[in-house]
Amino acid sequence: MTTATTRLADYRPYPFQIPNIELDVVVEEQHIAISSSMQIEPALTTKVPLVLQGLNLELDSIVINGSSVPTDAYSLSSSELVLHQPPIHPFELKIICRIDPFNNTSLEGLYASESMLTSQCEAEGFRRICFHPDRPDVLSRYRVRIEADRTRYPVLLSNGNLVSKGPLAKDPMRHEAIWDDPYPKPAYLFALVAGALQEVQAHFKTTSGRSVLLRLHVENGDEPYTSHALDSLKKAMTWDEKVYGLEYDLDEYNIVAVRHFNMGAMENKSLNIFNSKLVLADSECATDGELERIESVVAHEYFHNWTGNRITCRDWFQLSLKEGLTVFRDQSFTADLHSKAVKRIEDVSMLRNTQFREDSGPTSHPVKPSEYKAIDNFYTTTIYEKGAELIRMLHTLLGQQRFMAGMALYVQRFDGTAATTEDFIHSIAEGACANGEQLGFDLDQFQRWYHQSGTPQVCVKRHWDSQGGTLTLEVSQFTPPTPGQPSKAPLVIPMALAVIGPNGRIGEEKLVVLDQDTQSVSLRDLPRQAKPPALSIFRRFSAPITLQMDVSVDESLQLLALDDDPVARWEAGQRLWRKILLARARKQADKPLEERLALALNQLITSGGESDPSFLAMLFGMPGLAELEAAQDVADPLMLYQVYQSLKSWLGVKLSDPLQNLLERSRLNWGAQWPAGQGERMLTGLTWSWLAAAGDCEVRKEAVEAVNGPSMSLARAALRALQPVECNERDEALKSFYERWQDRPVILDTWFALEASTPRSDGLEQIKQLLDHPRFDPMAPNAIRAVLGGLASNPPVFHAIDGSGYNFMADQLIAIDQRNPITASRMVKVFSRWQTYAPSRKEAMHRAIDQLASAELSANTREVVTLMQPEH
């Protein structure tokens, strides 16, 4: 299959405007009839064809200004409807077509999810509902009438405010609802839901005094699990008013929970559609991390109301304009509500283990790509999380007050339009300099971050003048070649740094702007001493880079104990963990270092070296496997997995008494209601993991008991602690968890993931049985990701030297691609790092990629597989 390439350089404005659309949606038993009436205004004075997109639509009729359009006046293909000579003056175009949502397995457009009908139109799903340009720069006001059977579809929802609803006079067994959205929006924000749903209500009063009705729609029986999501929504609305001065603009706000959904959630104007996993929660059925994740995602979709909906993207190359900015906003929201330090560390860890991995592989791409074949393949950590880091760097360079001045100007200037990343950057800069201040950096050079792929490497060499008390840093930056970009220009990199002495920070923090290939930085008036002071660098992770700098063990231990920046303090610990784990992986264990780190950890526990239990858990956390693989010359995932387990076992024995004391203290807050007690529950899980690995039978027994306890956080922590340990308690705990939650699909996905990722000698056979399990739902992306994602995170099974894990994964992805290309194309990236492995494993993974390449694949999956092939 050959798919056309879409290029940013080819962008041209759509030659027609469509200010208003009226949709009439009639739901029948076997199909849906869609009538779209579009008010069309030509933007050009010359005649040009009107090209509309359409997929799997059965065309009934086309009418212009009340007159039928003859068949020779248009052409129809499998993907387009072209009117050859439309009027050059404004006209009404009415198109009637039919769709079949009941056999739509792609989960795009309008489709059936169990007993309800739901929609997903981002990025290009609206063309599966009706003929339309289906591009984000065509903004329209929508008025939607939905008609359906009253019994089967008692709830009818769309965007905007509800105008009217009630039974049909001609057929009382059917009813209708009419929705009106007064704000122009692109088609990707259209939403429609019809089904037997239960509603939970709340109200929110805005700063200006308007009352907004909040409605959350779930399947029958799920009502008790909605209060957390509603509370999260109210927190987000309050925060956006307080911090950004942005108020909600409609009379009601609806959220629907859907089991079958490719994404986490979707910000459709006033009708957010959520994956059920990110709505239904309380402390008994969701972990602390999941409760925070739900709070964050609810906020993210709400924040899109302004950064994404009121101001949308001109084209899909601008995707990070809305996503990177909104991720930055939801990260800031979570940091304000909870712990800034812990949130920042979580985000940095995620970036290193996912986005950095993407940046260094065959699917590497810029935050603002220059071309694509399937836009769905660009919903990546680069667009979202790296995009957020670019916004954060602007905030760091400008400071809170100047950054917010730029945000206010951006909203004022582009409200109601489809904007670009350049529009945003220039608004931020102009607003920040409104009072005559200098920007402080080269704006055009900063924008290279959007166009250059790859993770920059910053190398720092230090020179110490003990007589003059001057520390000189020779700093260079280099971004490695990535596909299509063999050479890179220097970027604007904010480097926050400070000096740490034996009693803490010396002097003020300094922000240095790196903008040359090489440059020198001097820190003067430092204490005159024989050895240079410790350097705290890239504090708060002030730029998404990798740092190359010689740091001694003594310096890392000093920073771990004394640095006043929590992120830099955590990073000092991460350096020590990496050094220890990588040495063990080389079979050259550094026993003296291990002893020193164990002593430092003991002091953190016993001497009150860290009073915040959540941050203490961060300091005890080891780097992720993906991060460690990237640090190896030849990645050896199985050896790293074994090293993790052996180090946990050693620490469990070495620190047995202090860990038992820590566990005893943590138990006091096990029952505290989230977010209280979260840190203690995190520490409990970590302690269980180390002690269980060390063979502590009492801890293993306690973990089994926790699986049936009142806290999902502790239950999951117990399962994770037992998972790598081959013992009877592990099997007992997994069985108990299944028996308790087998009737709750959202939670049962966790069991599928745990079973699939548990290392067993017959692991692959176990995974095959999971796919045949009567409660496995092959149409639900969550279930697919649980089992196959579990396989990918199970090194002994997935990375088996005979290639059986790779071949099985390829077979499954080929089958999934036939029904859901989006899910398949995202999961196929598990093969993207194949060239980093040793020859035998590399060859086995390459055979699996060839297996994929020889299959009939969707355009989405084909694009990713092609990028991974060595000849590309």
Coordinates of all heavy atoms in Angstrom, one line a residue, residues 280-359:
L280 N -13.3 6.1 36.4 CA -13.9 5.4 37.4 C -12.8 5.0 38.5 O -11.9 4.2 38.2 CB -14.5 4.1 36.9 CG -15.4 4.3 35.7 CD1 -15.9 3.0 35.1 CD2 -16.6 5.2 36.1
A281 N -12.9 5.6 39.7 CA -11.9 5.4 40.6 C -12.3 5.8 42.0 O -13.0 6.8 42.2 CB -10.6 6.2 40.2
D282 N -11.8 5.1 43.0 CA -11.7 5.5 44.4 C -10.5 4.7 45.0 O -9.8 4.0 44.3 CB -13.0 5.2 45.2 CG -13.4 3.7 45.2 OD1 -12.5 2.9 45.0 OD2 -14.6 3.4 45.5
S283 N -10.2 5.0 46.3 CA -9.0 4.4 46.8 C -9.0 2.9 46.9 O -8.0 2.3 47.0 CB -8.8 5.0 48.2 OG -9.8 4.7 49.1
E284 N -10.2 2.3 46.9 CA -10.3 0.8 46.9 C -10.0 0.2 45.6 O -9.4 -0.9 45.5 CB -11.7 0.4 47.4 CG -11.8 -1.1 47.6 CD -13.2 -1.6 48.0 OE1 -14.1 -0.8 47.9 OE2 -13.3 -2.7 48.4
C285 N -10.4 0.9 44.5 CA -10.2 0.3 43.1 C -9.2 1.0 42.3 O -9.0 0.6 41.1 CB -11.5 0.2 42.4 SG -12.2 1.8 42.0
A286 N -8.5 2.0 42.8 CA -7.4 2.7 42.1 C -6.3 3.0 43.0 O -6.5 3.3 44.2 CB -8.0 4.0 41.4
T287 N -5.1 3.0 42.4 CA -3.9 3.4 43.2 C -3.8 4.9 43.4 O -4.4 5.6 42.7 CB -2.6 2.8 42.6 OG1 -2.4 3.6 41.3 CG2 -2.7 1.3 42.3
D288 N -2.9 5.3 44.3 CA -2.6 6.7 44.5 C -2.2 7.3 43.2 O -2.6 8.4 42.8 CB -1.5 6.9 45.6 CG -2.0 6.5 47.0 OD1 -3.2 6.6 47.3 OD2 -1.1 6.1 47.8
G289 N -1.3 6.6 42.5 CA -0.8 7.1 41.2 C -1.9 7.3 40.2 O -1.9 8.2 39.4
E290 N -2.9 6.3 40.2 CA -4.0 6.4 39.3 C -4.9 7.5 39.6 O -5.5 8.2 38.7 CB -4.7 5.1 39.2 CG -3.9 4.0 38.5 CD -4.5 2.6 38.7 OE1 -5.3 2.4 39.6 OE2 -4.2 1.7 37.8
L291 N -5.1 7.8 40.9 CA -6.0 8.9 41.3 C -5.4 10.2 40.9 O -6.1 11.1 40.4 CB -6.2 8.9 42.9 CG -7.0 7.8 43.4 CD1 -7.0 7.7 44.9 CD2 -8.5 7.9 43.0
E292 N -4.0 10.3 41.0 CA -3.4 11.6 40.6 C -3.4 11.7 39.1 O -3.6 12.7 38.5 CB -1.9 11.6 41.1 CG -1.2 12.9 40.7 CD 0.2 13.0 41.3 OE1 0.3 12.9 42.6 OE2 1.2 13.1 40.6
R293 N -3.2 10.5 38.4 CA -3.3 10.5 36.9 C -4.7 10.9 36.4 O -4.8 11.7 35.5 CB -3.0 9.1 36.4 CG -3.1 8.9 34.9 CD -2.1 9.6 34.1 NE -2.2 9.3 32.7 CZ -1.8 10.1 31.7 NH1 -1.4 11.3 32.0 NH2 -1.9 9.7 30.5
I294 N -5.7 10.5 37.1 CA -7.1 10.9 36.7 C -7.3 12.3 36.9 O -7.8 13.1 36.0 CB -8.1 10.0 37.5 CG1 -8.1 8.6 37.0 CG2 -9.5 10.7 37.3 CD1 -8.9 7.7 37.8
E295 N -6.8 12.8 38.0 CA -6.9 14.3 38.3 C -6.2 15.1 37.2 O -6.7 16.1 36.8 CB -6.3 14.5 39.7 CG -6.4 16.0 40.2 CD -5.7 16.1 41.5 OE1 -4.4 16.0 41.6 OE2 -6.4 16.3 42.5
S296 N -5.0 14.6 36.8 CA -4.2 15.3 35.8 C -4.9 15.3 34.5 O -4.9 16.3 33.7 CB -2.8 14.7 35.8 OG -2.1 15.2 34.7
V297 N -5.4 14.1 34.1 CA -6.0 14.0 32.7 C -7.3 14.7 32.6 O -7.6 15.4 31.6 CB -6.2 12.5 32.3 CG1 -6.9 12.4 31.0 CG2 -4.8 11.8 32.2
V298 N -8.1 14.7 33.7 CA -9.3 15.5 33.7 C -9.0 17.0 33.5 O -9.6 17.7 32.7 CB -10.1 15.3 35.0 CG1 -11.2 16.3 35.1 CG2 -10.7 13.9 35.0
A299 N -7.9 17.4 34.2 CA -7.5 18.8 34.1 C -6.9 19.1 32.7 O -7.2 20.1 32.1 CB -6.4 19.1 35.1
H300 N -6.2 18.1 32.2 CA -5.6 18.3 30.8 C -6.7 18.6 29.8 O -6.6 19.5 29.0 CB -4.8 17.1 30.5 CG -4.2 17.1 29.1 ND1 -2.8 17.5 28.9 CD2 -4.7 16.9 27.9 CE1 -2.6 17.5 27.6 NE2 -3.7 17.1 26.9
E301 N -7.7 17.7 29.8 CA -8.8 17.9 28.8 C -9.6 19.2 29.1 O -10.0 19.8 28.1 CB -9.7 16.7 28.8 CG -9.0 15.3 28.6 CD -8.1 15.2 27.5 OE1 -8.3 16.0 26.5 OE2 -7.1 14.5 27.5
Y302 N -9.8 19.5 30.3 CA -10.5 20.8 30.6 C -9.6 22.0 30.1 O -10.1 22.9 29.5 CB -10.8 20.9 32.1 CG -11.3 22.3 32.3 CD1 -12.7 22.6 32.0 CD2 -10.6 23.3 32.9 CE1 -13.2 23.9 32.2 CE2 -11.1 24.6 33.0 CZ -12.4 24.9 32.7 OH -12.9 26.2 32.8
F303 N -8.3 21.9 30.4 CA -7.4 23.1 30.0 C -7.4 23.2 28.5 O -7.2 24.4 28.0 CB -6.0 22.9 30.5 CG -5.9 22.8 32.0 CD1 -4.8 22.2 32.6 CD2 -6.8 23.5 32.8 CE1 -4.7 22.1 34.0 CE2 -6.7 23.4 34.2 CZ -5.6 22.8 34.8
H304 N -7.7 22.2 27.7 CA -7.8 22.3 26.3 C -8.9 23.2 25.8 O -8.9 23.7 24.7 CB -8.0 20.9 25.7 CG -6.8 20.2 25.2 ND1 -5.8 20.8 24.5 CD2 -6.4 18.9 25.4 CE1 -4.8 19.9 24.2 NE2 -5.2 18.8 24.8
N305 N -9.9 23.5 26.7 CA -11.0 24.3 26.3 C -10.4 25.7 25.7 O -11.0 26.2 24.8 CB -11.9 24.6 27.5 CG -13.2 25.4 27.0 OD1 -13.9 24.9 26.2 ND2 -13.3 26.6 27.5
W306 N -9.3 26.1 26.3 CA -8.7 27.3 25.7 C -7.5 27.0 24.9 O -7.3 27.5 23.8 CB -8.3 28.3 26.9 CG -9.5 29.0 27.4 CD1 -10.3 28.6 28.5 CD2 -10.1 30.2 26.9 NE1 -11.3 29.5 28.7 CE2 -11.3 30.5 27.7 CE3 -9.8 31.1 25.9 CZ2 -12.1 31.6 27.5 CZ3 -10.6 32.2 25.7 CH2 -11.7 32.4 26.5
T307 N -6.6 26.2 25.4 CA -5.4 25.9 24.6 C -5.6 24.6 23.8 O -5.1 23.5 24.2 CB -4.2 25.7 25.6 OG1 -4.5 24.8 26.6 CG2 -3.8 27.0 26.2
G308 N -6.4 24.7 22.8 CA -6.7 23.6 21.9 C -8.0 23.8 21.2 O -8.2 23.4 20.0
N309 N -9.0 24.2 22.0 CA -10.4 24.4 21.4 C -10.6 25.8 21.0 O -10.9 26.1 19.8 CB -11.4 23.9 22.4 CG -11.3 22.5 22.8 OD1 -10.4 21.8 22.3 ND2 -12.1 22.0 23.6
R310 N -10.6 26.8 21.9 CA -10.8 28.2 21.6 C -9.7 28.6 20.6 O -9.9 29.4 19.7 CB -10.9 29.0 22.8 CG -12.2 28.8 23.7 CD -13.4 29.6 23.1 NE -13.2 31.0 23.2 CZ -13.9 31.8 24.0 NH1 -14.8 31.2 24.9 NH2 -13.8 33.1 24.0
I311 N -8.5 28.2 20.9 CA -7.4 28.4 20.0 C -6.9 27.0 19.5 O -6.4 26.2 20.3 CB -6.2 29.1 20.6 CG1 -6.6 30.4 21.3 CG2 -5.1 29.4 19.6 CD1 -5.5 31.1 22.1
T312 N -7.1 26.7 18.3 CA -6.8 25.4 17.8 C -5.6 25.4 16.8 O -4.9 26.5 16.7 CB -8.0 24.7 17.1 OG1 -7.8 23.4 16.9 CG2 -8.3 25.4 15.8
C313 N -5.3 24.3 16.2 CA -4.1 24.2 15.3 C -4.5 24.5 13.9 O -5.5 24.0 13.4 CB -3.6 22.8 15.4 SG -3.1 22.2 17.0
R314 N -3.6 25.2 13.2 CA -3.9 25.5 11.8 C -3.8 24.3 11.0 O -4.5 24.1 10.0 CB -2.8 26.5 11.3 CG -3.1 27.0 9.9 CD -1.9 27.7 9.3 NE -0.8 26.7 9.0 CZ 0.3 27.1 8.4 NH1 0.6 28.3 8.2 NH2 1.2 26.1 8.2
D315 N -2.9 23.4 11.3 CA -2.7 22.1 10.6 C -2.1 21.1 11.6 O -1.7 21.5 12.7 CB -1.8 22.3 9.4 CG -0.5 23.0 9.7 OD1 0.4 22.3 10.3 OD2 -0.3 24.1 9.3
W316 N -1.9 19.9 11.2 CA -1.5 18.9 12.2 C 0.0 18.9 12.5 O 0.5 18.3 13.5 CB -1.9 17.5 11.7 CG -3.4 17.3 11.8 CD1 -4.3 17.0 10.9 CD2 -4.2 17.4 13.0 NE1 -5.5 16.9 11.3 CE2 -5.5 17.2 12.7 CE3 -3.9 17.7 14.4 CZ2 -6.5 17.2 13.6 CZ3 -4.9 17.7 15.3 CH2 -6.2 17.5 14.9
F317 N 0.8 19.7 11.7 CA 2.2 19.9 12.0 C 2.3 20.7 13.3 O 3.3 20.8 13.9 CB 2.9 20.6 10.9 CG 2.9 19.7 9.6 CD1 2.0 20.0 8.6 CD2 3.8 18.7 9.5 CE1 2.0 19.2 7.4 CE2 3.8 17.9 8.3 CZ 2.9 18.2 7.3
Q318 N 1.2 21.5 13.6 CA 1.2 22.3 14.8 C 0.7 21.6 16.1 O 0.3 22.2 17.1 CB 0.4 23.5 14.6 CG 0.4 24.2 13.2 CD 1.8 24.7 12.9 OE1 2.5 25.2 13.7 NE2 2.1 24.7 11.6
L319 N 0.6 20.2 16.0 CA 0.0 19.5 17.1 C 0.5 19.8 18.5 O -0.3 19.9 19.4 CB 0.2 18.0 16.8 CG -0.5 17.0 17.8 CD1 -2.0 17.2 17.9 CD2 -0.2 15.6 17.4
S320 N 1.8 20.0 18.6 CA 2.4 20.3 19.9 C 2.0 21.7 20.4 O 2.1 22.0 21.6 CB 3.9 20.2 19.9 OG 4.4 20.2 21.2
L321 N 1.4 22.6 19.5 CA 0.9 23.9 19.9 C -0.1 23.7 21.0 O -0.1 24.4 22.0 CB 0.3 24.6 18.7 CG -0.4 25.9 19.1 CD1 0.5 27.0 19.5 CD2 -1.2 26.4 17.9
K322 N -1.0 22.7 20.8 CA -2.0 22.5 21.8 C -1.6 21.4 22.8 O -1.9 21.6 24.0 CB -3.4 22.1 21.2 CG -3.4 20.7 20.6 CD -4.8 20.5 19.9 CE -5.0 19.0 19.4 NZ -5.3 18.1 20.4
E323 N -0.9 20.4 22.4 CA -0.6 19.3 23.3 C 0.6 19.6 24.2 O 0.5 19.4 25.4 CB -0.4 18.0 22.6 CG -1.6 17.5 21.8 CD -2.8 17.2 22.7 OE1 -2.6 17.2 24.0 OE2 -3.9 17.0 22.2
G324 N 1.7 20.1 23.7 CA 2.8 20.5 24.5 C 2.4 21.5 25.6 O 2.8 21.4 26.7
L325 N 1.7 22.6 25.1 CA 1.3 23.6 26.0 C 0.4 23.1 27.1 O 0.5 23.5 28.3 CB 0.6 24.8 25.2 CG 0.1 25.9 26.0 CD1 1.1 26.6 26.9 CD2 -0.5 27.0 25.1
T326 N -0.6 22.3 26.7 CA -1.5 21.8 27.7 C -0.9 20.8 28.6 O -1.3 20.7 29.8 CB -2.8 21.2 27.0 OG1 -3.3 22.2 26.1 CG2 -3.9 20.8 28.0
V327 N 0.1 20.0 28.2 CA 0.8 19.1 29.1 C 1.5 20.0 30.1 O 1.5 19.7 31.3 CB 1.8 18.2 28.4 CG1 2.7 17.5 29.3 CG2 1.0 17.1 27.6
F328 N 2.2 21.0 29.7 CA 2.8 21.9 30.6 C 1.9 22.5 31.6 O 2.2 22.6 32.8 CB 3.5 23.1 29.9 CG 4.0 24.2 30.8 CD1 5.2 24.0 31.5 CD2 3.3 25.4 30.9 CE1 5.7 25.0 32.3 CE2 3.8 26.4 31.7 CZ 4.9 26.2 32.5
R329 N 0.7 22.8 31.2 CA -0.3 23.4 32.1 C -0.8 22.3 33.1 O -1.0 22.6 34.3 CB -1.5 23.9 31.3 CG -1.2 25.3 30.8 CD -2.0 25.9 29.7 NE -3.4 25.6 29.6 CZ -4.4 26.2 30.3 NH1 -4.1 27.1 31.2 NH2 -5.7 25.9 30.0
D330 N -1.0 21.1 32.6 CA -1.5 20.1 33.6 C -0.4 19.6 34.5 O -0.6 19.3 35.7 CB -2.1 18.9 32.9 CG -1.2 17.8 32.3 OD1 -0.4 17.3 33.0 OD2 -1.3 17.5 31.1
Q331 N 0.9 19.7 34.1 CA 2.0 19.4 35.0 C 2.1 20.5 36.1 O 2.3 20.1 37.3 CB 3.3 19.4 34.2 CG 3.5 18.2 33.3 CD 4.7 18.2 32.4 OE1 5.4 19.3 32.3 NE2 5.1 17.1 31.8
S332 N 1.9 21.7 35.7 CA 1.9 22.8 36.7 C 0.8 22.7 37.7 O 0.9 22.9 38.9 CB 1.9 24.1 35.9 OG 2.9 24.3 35.0
F333 N -0.4 22.3 37.2 CA -1.6 22.1 38.0 C -1.3 21.0 39.1 O -1.5 21.2 40.3 CB -2.7 21.7 37.1 CG -3.9 21.1 37.8 CD1 -4.8 21.9 38.5 CD2 -4.2 19.7 37.8 CE1 -6.0 21.3 39.1 CE2 -5.3 19.2 38.4 CZ -6.2 20.0 39.1
T334 N -0.8 19.9 38.7 CA -0.5 18.8 39.6 C 0.6 19.2 40.6 O 0.5 18.9 41.8 CB 0.0 17.5 38.9 OG1 -1.1 17.1 38.0 CG2 0.3 16.4 39.8
A335 N 1.6 19.9 40.1 CA 2.7 20.4 41.0 C 2.1 21.3 42.1 O 2.5 21.3 43.2 CB 3.8 21.1 40.2
D336 N 1.2 22.2 41.7 CA 0.6 23.2 42.6 C -0.2 22.5 43.7 O -0.3 22.9 44.8 CB -0.2 24.2 41.9 CG 0.7 25.3 41.2 OD1 1.9 25.3 41.4 OD2 0.1 26.1 40.4
L337 N -0.9 21.4 43.3 CA -1.8 20.7 44.2 C -1.1 19.8 45.1 O -1.6 19.5 46.2 CB -2.9 20.0 43.4 CG -4.2 20.7 43.2 CD1 -4.1 22.0 42.5 CD2 -5.2 19.7 42.5
H338 N 0.0 19.3 44.7 CA 0.7 18.2 45.4 C 2.2 18.7 45.7 O 2.4 19.6 46.4 CB 0.6 16.9 44.7 CG -0.8 16.5 44.4 ND1 -1.6 16.0 45.4 CD2 -1.5 16.5 43.3 CE1 -2.8 15.7 44.9 NE2 -2.8 16.0 43.6
S339 N 3.1 17.9 45.2 CA 4.5 18.2 45.5 C 5.2 18.6 44.2 O 5.3 17.8 43.2 CB 5.2 17.0 46.1 OG 6.6 17.1 46.0
K340 N 5.8 19.9 44.1 CA 6.5 20.3 42.9 C 7.7 19.4 42.7 O 8.0 19.0 41.5 CB 6.9 21.7 43.1 CG 5.8 22.8 42.9 CD 6.4 24.2 43.1 CE 5.4 25.2 42.6 NZ 4.1 25.2 43.3
A341 N 8.4 19.0 43.7 CA 9.6 18.2 43.5 C 9.3 16.8 43.0 O 9.9 16.4 42.0 CB 10.4 18.1 44.9
V342 N 8.3 16.2 43.6 CA 8.0 14.8 43.2 C 7.4 14.8 41.8 O 7.8 13.9 41.0 CB 7.0 14.2 44.2 CG1 6.4 12.8 43.7 CG2 7.7 13.9 45.6
K343 N 6.6 15.8 41.5 CA 6.0 15.8 40.1 C 7.1 16.1 39.1 O 7.1 15.4 38.0 CB 5.0 17.0 40.1 CG 4.4 17.2 38.7 CD 3.7 15.9 38.1 CE 3.1 16.2 36.8 NZ 2.6 14.9 36.1
R344 N 8.0 16.9 39.4 CA 9.1 17.2 38.4 C 9.9 16.0 38.2 O 10.3 15.6 37.1 CB 9.9 18.4 38.9 CG 11.0 18.8 37.8 CD 10.3 19.3 36.6 NE 11.2 19.7 35.5 CZ 11.1 19.4 34.2 NH1 10.0 18.7 33.8 NH2 11.9 19.8 33.3
I345 N 10.2 15.2 39.3 CA 11.0 14.0 39.2 C 10.3 13.0 38.4 O 10.9 12.3 37.5 CB 11.4 13.5 40.6 CG1 12.4 14.4 41.2 CG2 12.0 12.1 40.5 CD1 12.6 14.2 42.7
E346 N 9.0 12.8 38.6 CA 8.2 11.8 37.8 C 8.2 12.2 36.4 O 8.4 11.3 35.5 CB 6.8 11.8 38.4 CG 6.6 11.2 39.7 CD 5.2 11.3 40.3 OE1 4.4 12.2 39.8 OE2 4.9 10.6 41.2
D347 N 8.1 13.5 36.0 CA 8.1 13.9 34.6 C 9.5 13.7 34.0 O 9.5 13.2 32.8 CB 7.7 15.3 34.5 CG 6.2 15.6 34.9 OD1 5.4 14.6 34.8 OD2 5.9 16.7 35.2
V348 N 10.5 14.0 34.7 CA 11.9 13.8 34.1 C 12.1 12.3 33.9 O 12.7 11.9 32.9 CB 12.9 14.4 35.1 CG1 14.3 14.0 34.6 CG2 12.8 15.9 35.1
S349 N 11.8 11.4 34.9 CA 12.0 10.0 34.7 C 11.2 9.5 33.5 O 11.7 8.7 32.7 CB 11.5 9.3 36.0 OG 11.7 7.9 35.9
M350 N 10.0 9.9 33.4 CA 9.2 9.5 32.2 C 9.8 9.9 30.9 O 9.9 9.2 29.9 CB 7.8 10.1 32.3 CG 6.8 9.6 31.3 SD 6.8 10.6 29.8 CE 5.3 9.9 29.0
L351 N 10.3 11.2 30.9 CA 11.0 11.7 29.7 C 12.2 10.8 29.3 O 12.4 10.4 28.1 CB 11.4 13.1 29.9 CG 11.7 14.0 28.7 CD1 10.4 14.4 28.0 CD2 12.5 15.2 29.1
R352 N 13.0 10.5 30.3 CA 14.2 9.7 30.0 C 13.9 8.3 29.5 O 14.7 7.8 28.7 CB 15.1 9.7 31.3 CG 15.8 11.0 31.6 CD 16.6 10.8 32.8 NE 17.5 12.0 33.0 CZ 18.1 12.3 34.2 NH1 17.9 11.5 35.2 NH2 18.9 13.3 34.3
N353 N 12.9 7.7 30.1 CA 12.6 6.3 29.7 C 11.7 6.1 28.5 O 11.6 5.0 28.1 CB 12.0 5.6 31.0 CG 13.1 5.3 32.0 OD1 13.8 4.4 31.9 ND2 13.1 6.2 33.0
T354 N 11.1 7.2 28.0 CA 10.3 7.1 26.9 C 10.7 8.0 25.7 O 11.1 7.6 24.7 CB 8.8 7.3 27.2 OG1 8.6 8.6 27.8 CG2 8.3 6.3 28.2
Q355 N 10.7 9.3 26.0 CA 10.9 10.3 24.9 C 12.4 10.2 24.5 O 12.7 10.3 23.3 CB 10.5 11.7 25.4 CG 10.4 12.7 24.2 CD 11.7 13.2 23.7 OE1 12.6 13.5 24.5 NE2 11.9 13.3 22.4
F356 N 13.3 10.1 25.4 CA 14.7 10.0 25.0 C 15.0 8.8 24.2 O 15.8 8.8 23.2 CB 15.6 10.0 26.3 CG 15.9 11.4 26.9 CD1 15.1 12.5 26.6 CD2 16.9 11.6 27.8 CE1 15.3 13.7 27.1 CE2 17.2 12.8 28.3 CZ 16.4 13.9 28.0
R357 N 14.3 7.7 24.6 CA 14.4 6.5 23.8 C 13.9 6.7 22.4 O 14.5 6.2 21.4 CB 13.6 5.4 24.5 CG 13.7 4.0 23.9 CD 12.8 3.0 24.7 NE 12.9 1.7 24.3 CZ 13.7 0.7 24.8 NH1 14.5 1.1 25.7 NH2 13.7 -0.5 24.3
E358 N 12.7 7.4 22.3 CA 12.2 7.7 20.9 C 13.1 8.6 20.2 O 13.4 8.4 18.9 CB 10.8 8.4 21.1 CG 10.1 8.7 19.8 CD 8.7 9.2 20.1 OE1 8.5 10.3 20.5 OE2 7.7 8.4 19.9
D359 N 13.7 9.6 20.8 CA 14.6 10.5 20.2 C 15.8 9.9 19.6 O 16.4 10.4 18.6 CB 15.1 11.6 21.2 CG 14.5 13.0 20.9 OD1 13.9 13.2 19.9 OD2 14.8 13.9 21.8

